[in-house]
Amino acid sequence: MSTTSRAAGAVVAGPVARLRTLRSVALRSPDARRAAEFYQHVWGLEPVEHDDGVAWLRGTGPEHHILEMRQAERNALGKIAFSVATPREVDEAARRLEALGVPLLAGPGRLDQAGGGYGLRFADPENRLIELSADVEAVAPRDPGGREAVPRKVAHVVLNTVDIDAACAFYTTVLGMRISDWSEHQMAFLRCNSDHHVIAFNQAEWTSVNHVAYELPSVDHFMRGIGRLRHHGVTPLWGPGRHGPGNNTFSYFADPAGLVCEYTSEVEQVDEDAWLCRVWRRVPELSDLWGTAGPPSKDVRRHMAGIPDPGGWWQK
């Protein structure tokens, strides 16, 4: 997609908005209640609101919530929410999306959801629901001293895609994200701020959620969090280890719904003026620099493949 598009007599150059952060992720599942209980009592998130068939949970950071779990017929992505600075930027993003021929599914306007805010929603080319929002209700940091071994934010979402080049083109051209690194031509790591990646795409047979990663403040918090999960009888699918691309620690688990969740820490910080995109080889010693986890097993790959997710749930 070109960075310049003509529609309704308007010329739109560049991305539709400047994304600040990955705010939250919404997941859908037939086992949403059990999954929400896991994320609260085992994973360490705190419930902030709940309704019939849906729960919103927060980390220790300032976001109102970082995870929404909603009852549905099948495991699927519900939504990915990014923050922008002001409502005016939301309005400008709406104008630019319409000029690019990207239909708005909601907004711009006040968001009728937990945490409120002013925003808009649209679908990406593989029918994933994307939200841009500002003025969402903030909360006081839950653990200002950083003592708890629980997540403070969503670090990144990895998405399985049937066309990695088209996915990267949309997210860079329309949303202004930058590609930090490639893992051969199998994975691409995209950033919207100094974090090495907040979205990654994995070339796959079908569209689905690969996993959602949650950031802990340090390696010590990361290891203590893994210890807490072991105390609850939950052992890693893969990890602990440290990835090459992003240089972040990793330990992957499966929630009761079968969705893959990751503890991570020490995500590499990008200096925009000095960073050079690198193509990493897909070899065990680079997927885990520590050499403690080894390559992912067939069972790990099966969990990360998920089930085909055509999106478009909002049309039903």
Side-chain angles (χ1 to χ4, degrees), residues 271-294:
D271 179 348
E272 290 288 347
D273 294 330
W275 187 264
L276 294 176
C277 180
R278 175 178 175 182
V279 179
W280 293 75
R281 291 182 300 123
R282 294 182 65 80
V283 293
E285 59 267 29
L286 295 181
S287 66
D288 174 22
L289 300 178
W290 285 348
T292 53

Side-chain angles (χ1 to χ4, degrees), residues 28 70 76-79 127 129 309-316:
R28 298 166 62 83
R70 185 176 293 270
L77 177 69
K79 180 183 68 179
N127 232 12
L129 187 62
D309 177 9
W313 58 264
W314 55 89
Q315 298 166 336
K316 299 176 183 178

Side-chain angles (χ1 to χ4, degrees), residues 77 84 99 104 108 141 149 174 201-202 218 226 230 247 280 285 297:
L77 177 69
V84 298
L104 296 181
V174 176
F201 288 104
N202 176 60
S218 70
I226 294 171
R230 287 187 177 275
N247 198 39
W280 293 75
E285 59 267 29
S297 66

Side-chain angles (χ1 to χ4, degrees), residues 144-195:
R147 294 182 294 272
E148 294 185 80
V150 298
R152 59 184 177 185
K153 68 176 185 177
V154 175
H156 60 262
V157 184
V158 176
L159 303 167
N160 294 320
T161 177
V162 298
D163 189 339
I164 196 169
D165 293 316
C168 288
F170 182 87
Y171 279 73
T172 56
T173 303
V174 176
L175 292 177
M177 303 185 82
R178 284 86 68 200
I179 299 177
S180 297
D181 282 314
W182 288 86
S183 178
E184 296 187 2
H185 196 238
Q186 179 63 40
M187 290 190 71
F189 301 87
L190 286 75
R191 67 187 185 273
C192 68
N193 50 35
S194 62
D195 288 348

Side-chain angles (χ1 to χ4, degrees), residues 11-286:
V11 177
V12 177
V16 302
R18 180 186 174 190
L19 306 185
R20 300 296 179 125
T21 62
L22 171 60
R23 191 187 289 283
S24 65
V25 175
L27 299 173
R28 298 166 62 83
S29 175
D31 294 315
R33 181 185 61 80
R34 290 177 59 224
E37 290 174 351
F38 166 84
Y39 285 110
Q40 176 184 353
H41 299 297
V42 180
W43 200 246
L45 303 184
E46 179 183 0
V48 285
E49 292 191 40
H50 64 86
D51 203 344
D52 185 27
V54 59
W56 292 270
L57 301 104
R58 61 168 296 201
T60 61
E63 289 291 352
H64 176 272
H65 64 275
I66 62 173
L67 175 65
E68 173 189 309
M69 282 298 316
R70 185 176 293 270
Q71 186 71 19
E73 294 181 358
R74 57 193 293 163
N75 284 352
L77 177 69
K79 180 183 68 179
I80 302 174
F82 296 98
S83 70
V84 298
T86 65
R88 180 176 293 182
E89 290 187 29
V90 173
D91 290 337
E92 177 64 14
R95 186 186 72 79
R96 288 171 170 260
L97 285 165
E98 289 175 341
L100 287 168
V102 179
L104 296 181
L105 300 174
R110 302 307 302 177
L111 295 171
D112 183 16
Q113 63 179 14
Y118 186 92
L120 59 78
R121 298 184 186 124
F122 60 94
D124 77 3
E126 290 180 296
N127 232 12
R128 303 180 188 91
L129 187 62
I130 305 299
E131 177 181 287
L132 308 183
S133 60
D135 287 359
V136 172
E137 180 183 343
V139 292
R142 167 179 152 188
D143 178 28
R147 294 182 294 272
E148 294 185 80
V150 298
R152 59 184 177 185
K153 68 176 185 177
V154 175
H156 60 262
V157 184
V158 176
L159 303 167
N160 294 320
T161 177
V162 298
D163 189 339
I164 196 169
D165 293 316
C168 288
F170 182 87
Y171 279 73
T172 56
T173 303
V174 176
L175 292 177
M177 303 185 82
R178 284 86 68 200
I179 299 177
S180 297
D181 282 314
W182 288 86
S183 178
E184 296 187 2
H185 196 238
Q186 179 63 40
M187 290 190 71
F189 301 87
L190 286 75
R191 67 187 185 273
C192 68
N193 50 35
S194 62
D195 288 348
H196 179 270
H197 58 287
V198 298
I199 295 287
F201 288 104
N202 176 60
Q203 181 67 42
E205 294 183 38
W206 54 71
T207 300
S208 61
V209 178
N210 185 289
H211 70 269
V212 180
Y214 302 81
E215 185 182 276
L216 287 93
S218 70
V219 174
D220 179 72
H221 292 81
F222 167 79
M223 293 302 295
R224 288 194 286 121
I226 294 171
R228 184 183 63 256
L229 266 69
R230 287 187 177 275
H231 177 76
H232 284 275
V234 181
T235 56
L237 292 173
W238 185 32
R242 184 183 286 277
H243 286 313
N247 198 39
N248 53 298
T249 65
F250 69 85
S251 193
Y252 297 89
F253 301 84
D255 72 16
L259 296 160
V260 179
C261 45
E262 176 191 2
Y263 272 169
T264 190
S265 65
E266 297 191 342
V267 177
E268 188 159 15
Q269 297 300 292
V270 169
D271 179 348
E272 290 288 347
D273 294 330
W275 187 264
L276 294 176
C277 180
R278 175 178 175 182
V279 179
W280 293 75
R281 291 182 300 123
R282 294 182 65 80
V283 293
E285 59 267 29
L286 295 181

